[in-house]
Amino acid sequence: MKIRSSVFASFVLLLEVVGIVLFLRGFFPVPVKSSLASKSQLSEQPLEPLTGSPPNSSRLPPPLFKRVVIVLVDALREDFVFGANGRTHMPYTRHLVEKGSSHSFVAKARPPTVTMPRIKALTTGSIPGFIDVVMNLNSPALLEDNLIWQAKTAGKRIIFYGDDTWVRLFPKHFMEYDGTTSFFVSDYTEVDNNVTRHLDSTLKRDDWDILILHYLGLDHIGHISGPHSSLIQPKLLEMDDVLKKIHSALISKEAEGSLPYLLVLCGDHGMSETGSHGGSSEPEVNTPLVLISPAFRRKAGMEKPVVVEQVDLTPTLALGLGLPISQNSVGRVIAGLLEETSMRDQLRSLHLNGHQLSCLLKDSISNYEKGFEQFRVAEKAHGNWMKLYLEGNTSEVLTNMGKKVLKQYLEALAAMSSALSKQLGKYDMYSMIVGMVFLFQLLLVLLLAMPEALCGAAVVDLPVLSAMFSLPFYLLCLLLASVHVLVCTSAESSCYFCSLSWGLVFAAVAFCSAMFCILISMATRRLPLGIKSPLKSSGSGWQLSELDILLLVGTIGHTLSLGASSFVEEEHQTWYFLLNTLCLAVFQDVCRKYFREKSASIDEEELIFTSKDHPSPVHYKADAHTEKWLALATPPFSLLCCRLLRSLNHTGVQWAHLPDVGHWLNSSEHKTVLSFLSAFCLVLIYLLVQRRCSWVSKVALALGLIGVYSYRAAVGNVLFPWQHSSRTASKGTVEARFVYVFVLGILFSGTKDLLRSQVITADAKLKSRGLWEIYSGLVLLVSLLFRSHNLPVLCCSLLIQTLMAQFIWKKLHYDAAQTTIMHYWFGQAFFYYQGNSNNIATIDISVGFVGLESYVEAPAIFLTALSTYAGPLLWACHLICYLSSERDRSPVALGHGCYCLALLRSVPAAAYIVLVTVLRYHLFIWSVFSPKLLYESMHLLITAGVCLFFITMEQSPTSSKS
Amino acid sequence: MWDHEIRAMASTHAIIASSVFMATVLPAVFVPGFSVYGTHLVWLYSVSGAVTAVSVAVFWLLGITPPTKKHTLGYKLSRLFRSCLYFFLSCLFFHSVVVLYGAPLIESALETFSLAVLLTSLTTLRCLCVLGPSVQAWIRVFSRHGAMSVWDTCLQITVACTVVGAWLGAFPIPLDWDRPWQVWPVSCSLGAMIGFLTGLVGAPAWIHYHRKQLTYKSK
């Protein structure tokens, strides 16, 4: 079966996407779940252990607290309270920590340190999977067993004010609530005032048991200006005042005889040195946890806070309120809090916690002996202690024995908890391997087809039919099917691939064996050719230039570098480095062309002049002269651009905290500079893009770019020259929609031109204009979505594209493969220039709300993906425009380009999958490698889309010829 | 073929390599607290100084430098002046290339410039010694099939090795190992040095093994 190489490449890419999705499904572990469908109930609590006599008591330890107030401050970092500045930033809290009756801890949050997974962790006590990040914004109701549900079922009345994620997670759980949205990150006063305004009236009342406050302002300040900004201190003082107000109200309400109150101050996650969060660096993970209650001993002075897990708060609160611990909780109760209660209650609480953990352990891990045995021993000792206790023994022996049992319990809890946490790193290997096999078969086919795909005809001959009707194919099908049955019947843990329907599995098996047969037959066809080829290559035909070597070494080297976590974190450095080297290599090529070959070419030129009798040779020569200097200036200019862009956004980990130009531009003092810069960039974008558009598109583009500026002005990023009054920042919805209209208009006119060129006239000029219009529509959309300080990135990319296309790629006769690799490298580098990194935290989610009143899933995801991958996309689109304009030089350029792009994308993706599988027990697997895996898969998907676009572009010559 | 030249080249390279070695060892004996990582800049200067002095002396003694047309003192002085100018310009060139590669512009400018001086003394200085201060000859040698003598080939190899060594030396910088040699510009200058030494050893060896294939067209 003969297919064109572009169709072949896109087809392979699409199938690779399927493979990688299967891999991802196996890689991201399913969270630890108890097998019980229902939620824990008070009546099902285990009995108090007692050896010997039958009347086991089902007595539960009495609740410790009557009322609980939880003040959750988003992104409250540990050193904001316990650090050196804590005394000035939060004086009252610090006083309570040092002198008051309180317990303070450093609670370690698990990555991903994003708000919703953290809320889930705090309420269910389980550790939500990484994939929860992706679901961060649209949170359906939490169905798992959780603290809030337990409290509600027990008849506690709960009031909630703050982030409306809670309201969506726990619908109908709160007696009273007021949710605030966190979409408009630039607002950091209103969100908190909306919470605090309810406080006075609520604190006066007596009709509630649990009050939860979630303050977002601090997090927003962190996102805007980082943890060292001047805005932090006033915000922390405000939080301190809130705490003081609540504390004094609670003290005044306290009545003799009734149970005491509990005031909890905690953070959901910390804040990195740049102010973002999501990763696993120390400042992001460490949050303060301060528990204040008259039930605790008064502190004498500042002690170093003990480190606990964030999920430990859940069982502690549950026991403190006399509620059952939620089933999936992996936390262990904080023993320090129970100190003041009787030994019997302490042991009972630990027993309850241990029982819950052991049930979870039994359900989720097949070999659970270690911690479980410890727990059994402790339980037995507990029974013995109870016997002595009930006999009325009050001697020293009882106390000592009690202490020993307590210690045994704590050890058992620690062992079980860590075993459960480790369980979260368990992978569905079978699905992963199947995904990997898919990907590698496709990659091998892609590689084996290289000589055919890059030849003059750009047609790949796939022996599909012969493979389908061969005996090995059926044998392989049978073999794989039996392997599948064997694996699925013997697997202990759940496996995604086994749970698929039989039809799908059979399709996969057939596909796998067909690919295998195709591979074998292609390889045998290549083999004799492979022996012959060295003879050929030793001749003059096949010689690699320095540039080819660089492109090859760079691609392979980058793929290999992904194995080191530092190189993944700092991948932008690799790309900047390679891009610089590329520019220098191109510079050397240009120099060679214009200096070395001068003597030869001058002769030729003179020959032309004399033979053709050129009308004005002087003019021509002058043009050639300026062109030479422009060509010589292009690579250094690109280098300079790249250097400037590099200092615009510092990403990565090691050097991300250094001040960069982007922050400088975004600070409020430099608003004028930013306004001028963005206006200049928009004008430049217009000048660069409008050249090849029709006049309608030109007008639309100009209006659209004006709309972009007014949108930025409406949002409050830039200044309007004639509008001095500081109007309140609106959402700019009208302006953004205005721009969307023009984007759609330009895209429509481009598509119309393309269709006309394809169906009616087959006019190459019309077609290239249509392509360029689609490209300019994309540019306009991206300029709307980019933050204003990122507009220079767009501007520089357009500038470099224009110059390179005009003076380098055309003039130096680079072939389609070389051009494609260069475009790919530039695209990758620009992905990082715009401030992205391999960390989830750098995705700019606010883009999803440009021009929308509220969160709508589909457009939000589309816009976010588009703006995140704007760099690679723009360069790929430019590649299509460039290659199709070069069609007269080489008619199969588009096919070659598409094939190269597919190969360039699949090699790192396939290699990375293997690396991730090998490194699956690496320390940084969740913080560094998994986000990169998500980025890789997304990039694969987007490249598959671009390749489909390539096919539609390539379609026309055949249809017009036929 | 070329036996005489290869022997001369090997001994020259041995002398230069031993000068590098001495420049590393001698300060360690005489200067208190000297170490390659700790007082990296001192090492850098001592090595560049030694390589400069020894190369100039050796190549002057060997007389490889193309014969000058005039023998007047003024002409020689102008050649010397131009050589110094080229040396300085080449330092600036390397400095700007390193900055373009991402070295900080203002802070640690001294370190960057020292690296540029080292690279210049390892590469440009050799060009000056072998080819003299003529840009035309440099461009000729560094374009494909441009070598016209064994010495040109040797120059190509050593310069390429040094530059590639410095290029490779930048790779360990982002790794989070916190080693003393990851500090800017230690790894790059060490890479350049190792590349240079490899070139010194490799160039005569390569030429020796390819002496049958080597053909040079004369002007």
Side-chain angles (χ1 to χ4, degrees), chain A residues 292-328:
Chain A
I292 304 155
S293 169
F296 304 145
R297 236 192 2 250
R298 282 189 107 70
K299 287 281 169 62
M302 184 71 187
E303 297 159 13
K304 201 175 155 35
V306 182
V307 176
V308 296
E309 288 278 334
Q310 197 180 35
V311 287
D312 293 348
L313 184 63
T314 321
T316 313
L317 277 181
L319 289 170
L321 285 166
L323 302 171
I325 300 170
S326 34
Q327 274 169 354
N328 298 330

Side-chain angles (χ1 to χ4, degrees), chain A residues 25-34 109-112 117-118 121 124-132 144 309 311 328-331 357 360-361 364-365 416-428 432 920-922 925-926 930:
Chain A
R25 187 62 180 71
F27 182 77
F28 289 108
V30 193
V32 174
K33 286 257 166 69
S34 167
R110 289 295 186 100
R118 300 286 39 95
T124 63
S126 66
I127 298 170
F130 189 83
I131 224 70
D132 266 346
E144 259 182 83
E309 288 278 334
V311 287
N328 298 330
S329 156
V330 298
L357 279 178
L360 188 61
L361 198 65
S364 49
I365 304 181
M416 288 195 286
S417 181
S418 75
L420 280 168
S421 307
K422 253 188 218 132
Q423 167 68 9
L424 291 166
K426 198 160 182 182
Y427 303 97
D428 175 5
M432 280 163 70
R920 63 188 182 281
Y921 296 117
H922 193 281
I925 188 76
W926 297 117
S930 316

Side-chain angles (χ1 to χ4, degrees), chain A residues 361-377:
Chain A
L361 198 65
K362 249 192 283 183
D363 286 333
S364 49
I365 304 181
S366 44
N367 50 342
Y368 50 85
E369 281 86 20
K370 197 179 163 243
F372 195 68
E373 276 313 306
Q374 275 176 309
F375 174 65
R376 282 273 162 266
V377 172

Side-chain angles (χ1 to χ4, degrees), chain A residues 605-672:
Chain A
E605 271 171 29
E606 275 169 4
L607 208 76
I608 292 166
F609 290 145
T610 46
S611 63
K612 281 194 173 174
D613 197 14
H614 205 273
S616 55
V618 187
H619 254 281
Y620 179 78
K621 231 174 182 173
D623 275 357
H625 200 67
T626 51
E627 191 189 287
K628 168 185 160 184
W629 286 112
L630 277 172
L632 278 173
T634 302
F637 177 75
S638 319
L639 277 171
L640 200 69
C641 279
C642 292
R643 183 66 181 90
L644 291 178
L645 290 183
R646 188 191 176 107
S647 45
L648 187 65
N649 288 310
H650 283 157
T651 68
V653 172
Q654 283 193 47
W655 295 282
H657 60 278
L658 297 177
D660 56 21
V661 181
H663 278 110
W664 185 83
L665 283 174
N666 274 330
S667 66
S668 50
E669 305 98 80
H670 303 114
K671 213 168 179 178
T672 343

Side-chain angles (χ1 to χ4, degrees), chain A residues 546 566 580-581 596 643 654, chain B residues 99-101 103 144 167 174 176:
Chain A
E546 288 95 333
S566 309
N580 261 324
T581 316
R596 177 64 186 154
R643 183 66 181 90
Q654 283 193 47
Chain B
V99 167
L100 284 177
Y101 261 104
R144 201 176 296 161
W167 189 77
D176 55 357

